[in-house]
PDB file of all heavy atoms in Angstrom:
ATOM      1  N   ALA A   1     185.078  21.767 337.461  1.00 98.00           N
ATOM      2  CA  ALA A   1     186.239  22.637 337.696  1.00 98.00           C
ATOM      3  C   ALA A   1     185.753  24.100 337.754  1.00 98.00           C
ATOM      4  O   ALA A   1     184.820  24.447 337.071  1.00 98.00           O
ATOM      5  CB  ALA A   1     187.403  22.346 336.646  1.00 98.00           C
ATOM      6  N   GLY A   2     186.489  24.919 338.449  1.00 98.00           N
ATOM      7  CA  GLY A   2     186.271  26.377 338.621  1.00 98.00           C
ATOM      8  C   GLY A   2     187.487  27.156 338.572  1.00 98.00           C
ATOM      9  O   GLY A   2     188.460  26.785 339.058  1.00 98.00           O
ATOM     10  N   ILE A   3     187.258  28.421 338.084  1.00 97.00           N
ATOM     11  CA  ILE A   3     188.488  29.403 338.177  1.00 97.00           C
ATOM     12  C   ILE A   3     188.048  30.683 338.491  1.00 97.00           C
ATOM     13  O   ILE A   3     186.817  31.182 338.144  1.00 97.00           O
ATOM     14  CB  ILE A   3     189.189  29.418 336.782  1.00 97.00           C
ATOM     15  CG1 ILE A   3     190.416  30.174 336.829  1.00 97.00           C
ATOM     16  CG2 ILE A   3     188.171  29.869 335.659  1.00 97.00           C
ATOM     17  CD1 ILE A   3     191.388  30.078 335.582  1.00 97.00           C
ATOM     18  N   SER A   4     188.735  31.474 339.393  1.00 96.00           N
ATOM     19  CA  SER A   4     188.450  32.851 339.825  1.00 96.00           C
ATOM     20  C   SER A   4     188.457  33.803 338.607  1.00 96.00           C
ATOM     21  O   SER A   4     189.043  33.537 337.578  1.00 96.00           O
ATOM     22  CB  SER A   4     189.304  33.324 340.896  1.00 96.00           C
ATOM     23  OG  SER A   4     190.636  33.319 340.481  1.00 96.00           O
ATOM     24  N   GLY A   5     188.029  34.999 338.802  1.00 93.00           N
ATOM     25  CA  GLY A   5     187.983  36.096 337.806  1.00 93.00           C
ATOM     26  C   GLY A   5     189.436  36.350 337.300  1.00 93.00           C
ATOM     27  O   GLY A   5     189.613  36.609 336.166  1.00 93.00           O
ATOM     28  N   SER A   6     190.386  36.510 338.215  1.00 92.00           N
ATOM     29  CA  SER A   6     191.737  36.840 337.991  1.00 92.00           C
ATOM     30  C   SER A   6     192.481  35.568 337.488  1.00 92.00           C
ATOM     31  O   SER A   6     193.528  35.788 336.787  1.00 92.00           O
ATOM     32  CB  SER A   6     192.346  37.276 339.167  1.00 92.00           C
ATOM     33  OG  SER A   6     192.711  36.212 340.046  1.00 92.00           O
ATOM     34  N   GLY A   7     191.952  34.385 337.576  1.00 94.00           N
ATOM     35  CA  GLY A   7     192.658  33.245 337.049  1.00 94.00           C
ATOM     36  C   GLY A   7     193.682  32.601 338.236  1.00 94.00           C
ATOM     37  O   GLY A   7     194.441  31.681 337.949  1.00 94.00           O
ATOM     38  N   GLY A   8     193.716  33.367 339.385  1.00 95.00           N
ATOM     39  CA  GLY A   8     194.721  33.080 340.323  1.00 95.00           C
ATOM     40  C   GLY A   8     194.310  31.854 341.225  1.00 95.00           C
ATOM     41  O   GLY A   8     195.155  31.215 341.927  1.00 95.00           O
ATOM     42  N   THR A   9     193.115  31.348 341.186  1.00 97.00           N
ATOM     43  CA  THR A   9     192.522  30.265 342.082  1.00 97.00           C
ATOM     44  C   THR A   9     191.836  29.306 341.131  1.00 97.00           C
ATOM     45  O   THR A   9     190.916  29.793 340.415  1.00 97.00           O
ATOM     46  CB  THR A   9     191.737  30.857 343.159  1.00 97.00           C
ATOM     47  OG1 THR A   9     192.456  31.733 343.877  1.00 97.00           O
ATOM     48  CG2 THR A   9     191.295  29.642 343.984  1.00 97.00           C
ATOM     49  N   THR A  10     192.054  28.005 341.282  1.00 98.00           N
ATOM     50  CA  THR A  10     191.437  27.062 340.525  1.00 98.00           C
ATOM     51  C   THR A  10     190.944  25.925 341.594  1.00 98.00           C
ATOM     52  O   THR A  10     191.555  25.716 342.552  1.00 98.00           O
ATOM     53  CB  THR A  10     192.137  26.361 339.473  1.00 98.00           C
ATOM     54  OG1 THR A  10     193.321  25.818 339.953  1.00 98.00           O
ATOM     55  CG2 THR A  10     192.473  27.346 338.411  1.00 98.00           C
ATOM     56  N   ILE A  11     189.786  25.466 341.367  1.00 98.00           N
ATOM     57  CA  ILE A  11     189.184  24.345 342.149  1.00 98.00           C
ATOM     58  C   ILE A  11     188.846  23.122 341.282  1.00 98.00           C
ATOM     59  O   ILE A  11     188.384  23.442 340.128  1.00 98.00           O
ATOM     60  CB  ILE A  11     188.106  24.748 343.133  1.00 98.00           C
ATOM     61  CG1 ILE A  11     186.972  25.385 342.270  1.00 98.00           C
ATOM     62  CG2 ILE A  11     188.641  25.697 344.223  1.00 98.00           C
ATOM     63  CD1 ILE A  11     185.713  25.756 343.151  1.00 98.00           C
ATOM     64  N   TYR A  12     188.749  21.918 341.720  1.00 98.00           N
ATOM     65  CA  TYR A  12     188.626  20.813 340.988  1.00 98.00           C
ATOM     66  C   TYR A  12     187.810  19.746 341.673  1.00 98.00           C
ATOM     67  O   TYR A  12     188.000  19.558 342.926  1.00 98.00           O
ATOM     68  CB  TYR A  12     189.773  20.031 340.423  1.00 98.00           C
ATOM     69  CG  TYR A  12     190.539  20.934 339.478  1.00 98.00           C
ATOM     70  CD1 TYR A  12     191.669  21.781 339.902  1.00 98.00           C
ATOM     71  CD2 TYR A  12     190.399  20.971 338.066  1.00 98.00           C
ATOM     72  CE1 TYR A  12     192.385  22.492 339.062  1.00 98.00           C
ATOM     73  CE2 TYR A  12     191.153  21.788 337.164  1.00 98.00           C
ATOM     74  CZ  TYR A  12     192.194  22.440 337.805  1.00 98.00           C
ATOM     75  OH  TYR A  12     192.886  23.331 336.853  1.00 98.00           O
ATOM     76  N   ALA A  13     186.994  19.042 341.090  1.00 98.00           N
ATOM     77  CA  ALA A  13     186.390  17.884 341.632  1.00 98.00           C
ATOM     78  C   ALA A  13     187.385  16.657 341.739  1.00 98.00           C
ATOM     79  O   ALA A  13     188.342  16.727 341.003  1.00 98.00           O
ATOM     80  CB  ALA A  13     185.242  17.271 340.635  1.00 98.00           C
ATOM     81  N   ASP A  14     187.242  15.922 342.749  1.00 97.00           N
ATOM     82  CA  ASP A  14     188.180  14.861 342.956  1.00 97.00           C
ATOM     83  C   ASP A  14     188.430  14.011 341.801  1.00 97.00           C
ATOM     84  O   ASP A  14     189.729  13.402 341.480  1.00 97.00           O
ATOM     85  CB  ASP A  14     187.885  14.047 344.188  1.00 97.00           C
ATOM     86  CG  ASP A  14     188.115  14.710 345.528  1.00 97.00           C
ATOM     87  OD1 ASP A  14     188.785  15.866 345.408  1.00 97.00           O
ATOM     88  OD2 ASP A  14     187.553  14.395 346.611  1.00 97.00           O
ATOM     89  N   PHE A  15     187.339  13.595 341.070  1.00 96.00           N
ATOM     90  CA  PHE A  15     187.455  12.742 339.902  1.00 96.00           C
ATOM     91  C   PHE A  15     188.235  13.226 338.795  1.00 96.00           C
ATOM     92  O   PHE A  15     188.436  12.406 337.713  1.00 96.00           O
ATOM     93  CB  PHE A  15     186.151  12.165 339.705  1.00 96.00           C
ATOM     94  CG  PHE A  15     185.049  13.128 339.220  1.00 96.00           C
ATOM     95  CD1 PHE A  15     185.062  13.830 337.976  1.00 96.00           C
ATOM     96  CD2 PHE A  15     184.033  13.603 340.131  1.00 96.00           C
ATOM     97  CE1 PHE A  15     184.141  14.683 337.669  1.00 96.00           C
ATOM     98  CE2 PHE A  15     183.180  14.557 339.813  1.00 96.00           C
ATOM     99  CZ  PHE A  15     183.220  15.127 338.518  1.00 96.00           C
ATOM    100  N   VAL A  16     188.571  14.571 338.680  1.00 95.00           N
ATOM    101  CA  VAL A  16     189.313  15.067 337.548  1.00 95.00           C
ATOM    102  C   VAL A  16     190.664  15.531 337.936  1.00 95.00           C
ATOM    103  O   VAL A  16     191.512  16.004 337.019  1.00 95.00           O
ATOM    104  CB  VAL A  16     188.430  16.105 336.755  1.00 95.00           C
ATOM    105  CG1 VAL A  16     187.150  15.546 336.252  1.00 95.00           C
ATOM    106  CG2 VAL A  16     188.281  17.329 337.574  1.00 95.00           C
ATOM    107  N   LYS A  17     190.923  15.660 339.235  1.00 89.00           N
ATOM    108  CA  LYS A  17     192.210  16.332 339.689  1.00 89.00           C
ATOM    109  C   LYS A  17     193.395  15.548 339.213  1.00 89.00           C
ATOM    110  O   LYS A  17     193.459  14.350 339.220  1.00 89.00           O
ATOM    111  CB  LYS A  17     192.158  16.278 341.180  1.00 89.00           C
ATOM    112  CG  LYS A  17     193.226  17.338 341.791  1.00 89.00           C
ATOM    113  CD  LYS A  17     192.919  17.486 343.246  1.00 89.00           C
ATOM    114  CE  LYS A  17     191.639  18.170 343.593  1.00 89.00           C
ATOM    115  NZ  LYS A  17     191.332  18.399 344.951  1.00 89.00           N
ATOM    116  N   GLY A  18     194.257  16.319 338.557  1.00 95.00           N
ATOM    117  CA  GLY A  18     195.529  15.662 337.888  1.00 95.00           C
ATOM    118  C   GLY A  18     195.233  15.271 336.444  1.00 95.00           C
ATOM    119  O   GLY A  18     196.383  15.025 335.800  1.00 95.00           O
ATOM    120  N   ARG A  19     193.994  15.388 335.954  1.00 98.00           N
ATOM    121  CA  ARG A  19     193.843  14.989 334.594  1.00 98.00           C
ATOM    122  C   ARG A  19     193.260  16.235 333.752  1.00 98.00           C
ATOM    123  O   ARG A  19     193.650  16.398 332.687  1.00 98.00           O
ATOM    124  CB  ARG A  19     192.787  13.891 334.558  1.00 98.00           C
ATOM    125  CG  ARG A  19     193.179  12.592 335.125  1.00 98.00           C
ATOM    126  CD  ARG A  19     192.237  11.419 334.802  1.00 98.00           C
ATOM    127  NE  ARG A  19     190.884  11.691 335.332  1.00 98.00           N
ATOM    128  CZ  ARG A  19     189.674  11.736 334.545  1.00 98.00           C
ATOM    129  NH1 ARG A  19     189.819  11.511 333.249  1.00 98.00           N
ATOM    130  NH2 ARG A  19     188.611  12.061 335.139  1.00 98.00           N
ATOM    131  N   PHE A  20     192.399  17.045 334.475  1.00 98.00           N
ATOM    132  CA  PHE A  20     191.832  18.224 333.839  1.00 98.00           C
ATOM    133  C   PHE A  20     192.504  19.498 334.305  1.00 98.00           C
ATOM    134  O   PHE A  20     192.942  19.600 335.461  1.00 98.00           O
ATOM    135  CB  PHE A  20     190.465  18.330 334.144  1.00 98.00           C
ATOM    136  CG  PHE A  20     189.504  17.260 333.384  1.00 98.00           C
ATOM    137  CD1 PHE A  20     190.094  16.193 332.851  1.00 98.00           C
ATOM    138  CD2 PHE A  20     188.126  17.350 333.518  1.00 98.00           C
ATOM    139  CE1 PHE A  20     189.298  15.264 332.227  1.00 98.00           C
ATOM    140  CE2 PHE A  20     187.277  16.356 332.932  1.00 98.00           C
ATOM    141  CZ  PHE A  20     187.858  15.140 332.400  1.00 98.00           C
ATOM    142  N   THR A  21     192.608  20.586 333.425  1.00 98.00           N
ATOM    143  CA  THR A  21     193.041  21.754 333.760  1.00 98.00           C
ATOM    144  C   THR A  21     192.215  22.871 333.309  1.00 98.00           C
ATOM    145  O   THR A  21     191.923  22.957 332.101  1.00 98.00           O
ATOM    146  CB  THR A  21     194.595  22.103 333.262  1.00 98.00           C
ATOM    147  OG1 THR A  21     195.477  20.980 333.751  1.00 98.00           O
ATOM    148  CG2 THR A  21     195.135  23.383 333.782  1.00 98.00           C
ATOM    149  N   ILE A  22     191.806  23.831 334.205  1.00 97.00           N
ATOM    150  CA  ILE A  22     190.932  25.014 333.794  1.00 97.00           C
ATOM    151  C   ILE A  22     191.962  26.110 333.812  1.00 97.00           C
ATOM    152  O   ILE A  22     192.763  26.288 334.615  1.00 97.00           O
ATOM    153  CB  ILE A  22     189.755  25.124 334.744  1.00 97.00           C
ATOM    154  CG1 ILE A  22     188.942  26.242 334.276  1.00 97.00           C
ATOM    155  CG2 ILE A  22     190.198  25.425 336.146  1.00 97.00           C
ATOM    156  CD1 ILE A  22     187.519  26.346 334.985  1.00 97.00           C
ATOM    157  N   SER A  23     191.736  27.099 332.706  1.00 96.00           N
ATOM    158  CA  SER A  23     192.554  28.192 332.731  1.00 96.00           C
ATOM    159  C   SER A  23     191.717  29.258 331.990  1.00 96.00           C
ATOM    160  O   SER A  23     190.645  29.038 331.479  1.00 96.00           O
ATOM    161  CB  SER A  23     193.817  27.892 331.893  1.00 96.00           C
ATOM    162  OG  SER A  23     193.515  27.513 330.452  1.00 96.00           O
ATOM    163  N   ARG A  24     192.291  30.526 332.040  1.00 93.00           N
ATOM    164  CA  ARG A  24     191.520  31.601 331.277  1.00 93.00           C
ATOM    165  C   ARG A  24     192.504  32.593 330.644  1.00 93.00           C
ATOM    166  O   ARG A  24     193.543  32.798 331.104  1.00 93.00           O
ATOM    167  CB  ARG A  24     190.503  32.193 332.129  1.00 93.00           C
ATOM    168  CG  ARG A  24     191.047  33.101 333.361  1.00 93.00           C
ATOM    169  CD  ARG A  24     190.129  33.457 334.345  1.00 93.00           C
ATOM    170  NE  ARG A  24     188.984  34.359 333.827  1.00 93.00           N
ATOM    171  CZ  ARG A  24     187.899  34.460 334.237  1.00 93.00           C
ATOM    172  NH1 ARG A  24     187.436  33.840 335.331  1.00 93.00           N
ATOM    173  NH2 ARG A  24     186.813  35.211 333.735  1.00 93.00           N
ATOM    174  N   ASP A  25     191.925  33.131 329.562  1.00 90.00           N
ATOM    175  CA  ASP A  25     192.649  34.259 328.828  1.00 90.00           C
ATOM    176  C   ASP A  25     191.646  35.391 328.820  1.00 90.00           C
ATOM    177  O   ASP A  25     190.774  35.489 327.955  1.00 90.00           O
ATOM    178  CB  ASP A  25     193.137  33.863 327.503  1.00 90.00           C
ATOM    179  CG  ASP A  25     193.892  34.843 326.784  1.00 90.00           C
ATOM    180  OD1 ASP A  25     193.866  36.156 327.166  1.00 90.00           O
ATOM    181  OD2 ASP A  25     194.526  34.504 325.791  1.00 90.00           O
ATOM    182  N   ASN A  26     191.811  36.360 329.796  1.00 82.00           N
ATOM    183  CA  ASN A  26     190.925  37.464 329.956  1.00 82.00           C
ATOM    184  C   ASN A  26     190.953  38.343 328.723  1.00 82.00           C
ATOM    185  O   ASN A  26     189.925  39.082 328.452  1.00 82.00           O
ATOM    186  CB  ASN A  26     191.146  38.131 331.218  1.00 82.00           C
ATOM    187  CG  ASN A  26     190.590  37.327 332.380  1.00 82.00           C
ATOM    188  OD1 ASN A  26     189.738  36.422 332.203  1.00 82.00           O
ATOM    189  ND2 ASN A  26     190.906  37.719 333.635  1.00 82.00           N
ATOM    190  N   ALA A  27     192.007  38.515 328.115  1.00 83.00           N
ATOM    191  CA  ALA A  27     192.118  39.259 326.794  1.00 83.00           C
ATOM    192  C   ALA A  27     191.212  38.764 325.728  1.00 83.00           C
ATOM    193  O   ALA A  27     190.729  39.522 324.830  1.00 83.00           O
ATOM    194  CB  ALA A  27     193.611  39.440 326.289  1.00 83.00           C
ATOM    195  N   LYS A  28     190.943  37.500 325.807  1.00 84.00           N
ATOM    196  CA  LYS A  28     190.108  36.880 324.799  1.00 84.00           C
ATOM    197  C   LYS A  28     188.721  36.543 325.374  1.00 84.00           C
ATOM    198  O   LYS A  28     187.911  35.997 324.654  1.00 84.00           O
ATOM    199  CB  LYS A  28     190.649  35.610 324.276  1.00 84.00           C
ATOM    200  CG  LYS A  28     191.983  35.776 323.550  1.00 84.00           C
ATOM    201  CD  LYS A  28     192.482  34.478 322.977  1.00 84.00           C
ATOM    202  CE  LYS A  28     193.844  34.754 322.172  1.00 84.00           C
ATOM    203  NZ  LYS A  28     194.435  33.499 321.663  1.00 84.00           N
ATOM    204  N   ASN A  29     188.481  36.917 326.607  1.00 83.00           N
ATOM    205  CA  ASN A  29     187.122  36.729 327.357  1.00 83.00           C
ATOM    206  C   ASN A  29     186.748  35.086 327.210  1.00 83.00           C
ATOM    207  O   ASN A  29     185.695  34.699 326.955  1.00 83.00           O
ATOM    208  CB  ASN A  29     186.036  37.427 326.787  1.00 83.00           C
ATOM    209  CG  ASN A  29     186.139  38.909 327.095  1.00 83.00           C
ATOM    210  OD1 ASN A  29     187.001  39.423 327.829  1.00 83.00           O
ATOM    211  ND2 ASN A  29     185.201  39.756 326.470  1.00 83.00           N
ATOM    212  N   THR A  30     187.839  34.307 327.359  1.00 90.00           N
ATOM    213  CA  THR A  30     187.716  32.900 327.218  1.00 90.00           C
ATOM    214  C   THR A  30     188.306  32.100 328.315  1.00 90.00           C
ATOM    215  O   THR A  30     189.336  32.429 328.817  1.00 90.00           O
ATOM    216  CB  THR A  30     188.312  32.368 325.797  1.00 90.00           C
ATOM    217  OG1 THR A  30     187.833  33.160 324.660  1.00 90.00           O
ATOM    218  CG2 THR A  30     188.138  30.990 325.618  1.00 90.00           C
ATOM    219  N   VAL A  31     187.517  31.027 328.722  1.00 93.00           N
ATOM    220  CA  VAL A  31     188.012  29.989 329.560  1.00 93.00           C
ATOM    221  C   VAL A  31     188.024  28.712 328.985  1.00 93.00           C
ATOM    222  O   VAL A  31     187.342  28.347 328.083  1.00 93.00           O
ATOM    223  CB  VAL A  31     187.069  29.956 330.887  1.00 93.00           C
ATOM    224  CG1 VAL A  31     187.277  28.725 331.746  1.00 93.00           C
ATOM    225  CG2 VAL A  31     187.083  31.332 331.666  1.00 93.00           C
ATOM    226  N   TYR A  32     189.125  27.850 329.283  1.00 95.00           N
ATOM    227  CA  TYR A  32     189.345  26.626 328.686  1.00 95.00           C
ATOM    228  C   TYR A  32     189.300  25.662 329.769  1.00 95.00           C
ATOM    229  O   TYR A  32     189.675  25.727 330.859  1.00 95.00           O
ATOM    230  CB  TYR A  32     190.783  26.653 328.043  1.00 95.00           C
ATOM    231  CG  TYR A  32     191.024  27.729 327.054  1.00 95.00           C
ATOM    232  CD1 TYR A  32     191.664  28.938 327.452  1.00 95.00           C
ATOM    233  CD2 TYR A  32     190.518  27.664 325.754  1.00 95.00           C
ATOM    234  CE1 TYR A  32     191.892  29.933 326.498  1.00 95.00           C
ATOM    235  CE2 TYR A  32     190.807  28.669 324.799  1.00 95.00           C
ATOM    236  CZ  TYR A  32     191.480  29.862 325.310  1.00 95.00           C
ATOM    237  OH  TYR A  32     191.705  30.798 324.356  1.00 95.00           O
ATOM    238  N   LEU A  33     188.927  24.246 329.216  1.00 96.00           N
ATOM    239  CA  LEU A  33     189.008  23.150 330.158  1.00 96.00           C
ATOM    240  C   LEU A  33     189.768  22.189 329.181  1.00 96.00           C
ATOM    241  O   LEU A  33     189.396  21.601 328.178  1.00 96.00           O
ATOM    242  CB  LEU A  33     187.693  22.579 330.530  1.00 96.00           C
ATOM    243  CG  LEU A  33     187.675  21.449 331.340  1.00 96.00           C
ATOM    244  CD1 LEU A  33     188.244  21.594 332.659  1.00 96.00           C
ATOM    245  CD2 LEU A  33     186.373  20.761 331.389  1.00 96.00           C
ATOM    246  N   GLN A  34     191.116  21.879 329.546  1.00 97.00           N
ATOM    247  CA  GLN A  34     191.912  20.980 329.082  1.00 97.00           C
ATOM    248  C   GLN A  34     191.707  19.529 329.759  1.00 97.00           C
ATOM    249  O   GLN A  34     191.973  19.451 330.851  1.00 97.00           O
ATOM    250  CB  GLN A  34     193.320  21.350 329.087  1.00 97.00           C
ATOM    251  CG  GLN A  34     194.284  20.357 328.417  1.00 97.00           C
ATOM    252  CD  GLN A  34     194.235  20.223 326.904  1.00 97.00           C
ATOM    253  OE1 GLN A  34     194.150  21.166 326.267  1.00 97.00           O
ATOM    254  NE2 GLN A  34     194.215  18.999 326.412  1.00 97.00           N
ATOM    255  N   MET A  35     191.299  18.623 328.931  1.00 97.00           N
ATOM    256  CA  MET A  35     190.884  17.297 329.513  1.00 97.00           C
ATOM    257  C   MET A  35     191.918  16.217 328.912  1.00 97.00           C
ATOM    258  O   MET A  35     191.888  15.864 327.719  1.00 97.00           O
ATOM    259  CB  MET A  35     189.492  16.942 329.137  1.00 97.00           C
ATOM    260  CG  MET A  35     188.466  17.936 329.669  1.00 97.00           C
ATOM    261  SD  MET A  35     186.851  17.452 329.278  1.00 97.00           S
ATOM    262  CE  MET A  35     186.664  17.419 327.538  1.00 97.00           C
ATOM    263  N   ASN A  36     192.784  15.667 329.849  1.00 98.00           N
ATOM    264  CA  ASN A  36     193.656  14.697 329.443  1.00 98.00           C
ATOM    265  C   ASN A  36     193.310  13.418 330.045  1.00 98.00           C
ATOM    266  O   ASN A  36     192.420  13.307 331.064  1.00 98.00           O
ATOM    267  CB  ASN A  36     195.074  15.126 329.855  1.00 98.00           C
ATOM    268  CG  ASN A  36     195.524  16.367 329.156  1.00 98.00           C
ATOM    269  OD1 ASN A  36     195.235  16.720 328.014  1.00 98.00           O
ATOM    270  ND2 ASN A  36     196.368  17.173 329.856  1.00 98.00           N
ATOM    271  N   SER A  37     193.867  12.232 329.599  1.00 98.00           N
ATOM    272  CA  SER A  37     193.653  10.893 330.224  1.00 98.00           C
ATOM    273  C   SER A  37     192.244  10.586 330.338  1.00 98.00           C
ATOM    274  O   SER A  37     191.818  10.145 331.332  1.00 98.00           O
ATOM    275  CB  SER A  37     194.496  10.835 331.419  1.00 98.00           C
ATOM    276  OG  SER A  37     195.848  11.073 331.358  1.00 98.00           O
ATOM    277  N   LEU A  38     191.307  10.939 329.391  1.00 98.00           N
ATOM    278  CA  LEU A  38     190.036  10.769 329.401  1.00 98.00           C
ATOM    279  C   LEU A  38     189.609   9.244 329.634  1.00 98.00           C
ATOM    280  O   LEU A  38     190.228   8.396 329.083  1.00 98.00           O
ATOM    281  CB  LEU A  38     189.336  11.243 328.254  1.00 98.00           C
ATOM    282  CG  LEU A  38     189.213  12.822 328.140  1.00 98.00           C
ATOM    283  CD1 LEU A  38     189.007  13.313 326.787  1.00 98.00           C
ATOM    284  CD2 LEU A  38     188.022  13.267 329.116  1.00 98.00           C
ATOM    285  N   LYS A  39     188.522   9.128 330.319  1.00 97.00           N
ATOM    286  CA  LYS A  39     188.004   7.876 330.718  1.00 97.00           C
ATOM    287  C   LYS A  39     186.556   7.775 330.260  1.00 97.00           C
ATOM    288  O   LYS A  39     185.695   8.722 330.032  1.00 97.00           O
ATOM    289  CB  LYS A  39     188.024   7.603 332.226  1.00 97.00           C
ATOM    290  CG  LYS A  39     189.297   7.748 332.872  1.00 97.00           C
ATOM    291  CD  LYS A  39     189.208   7.673 334.400  1.00 97.00           C
ATOM    292  CE  LYS A  39     190.615   7.897 335.107  1.00 97.00           C
ATOM    293  NZ  LYS A  39     190.404   7.810 336.606  1.00 97.00           N
ATOM    294  N   PRO A  40     186.059   6.574 329.890  1.00 97.00           N
ATOM    295  CA  PRO A  40     184.669   6.348 329.564  1.00 97.00           C
ATOM    296  C   PRO A  40     183.735   6.966 330.572  1.00 97.00           C
ATOM    297  O   PRO A  40     182.672   7.568 329.997  1.00 97.00           O
ATOM    298  CB  PRO A  40     184.508   4.813 329.437  1.00 97.00           C
ATOM    299  CG  PRO A  40     185.882   4.347 329.155  1.00 97.00           C
ATOM    300  CD  PRO A  40     186.807   5.108 329.905  1.00 97.00           C
TER     301      PRO A  40
END
């Protein structure tokens, strides 16, 4: 997954779309990857 500097654009691999979410908090200089419905 990837996210633009502003956070306005995100891109995902097909195998995680709908399960993972990438986000960022620029005030904290931090990017997150929330992973749900994880598979082996």
Side-chain angles (χ1 to χ4, degrees):
I3 189 166
S4 63
S6 69
T9 303
T10 58
I11 54 175
Y12 296 93
D14 286 343
F15 55 81
V16 303
K17 197 169 296 183
R19 299 189 297 124
F20 292 8
T21 302
I22 187 170
S23 62
R24 68 190 300 157
D25 183 345
N26 285 346
K28 298 180 179 179
N29 288 355
T30 302
V31 171
Y32 305 96
L33 183 66
Q34 178 67 46
M35 305 186 292
N36 299 326
S37 302
L38 283 162
K39 306 173 180 179

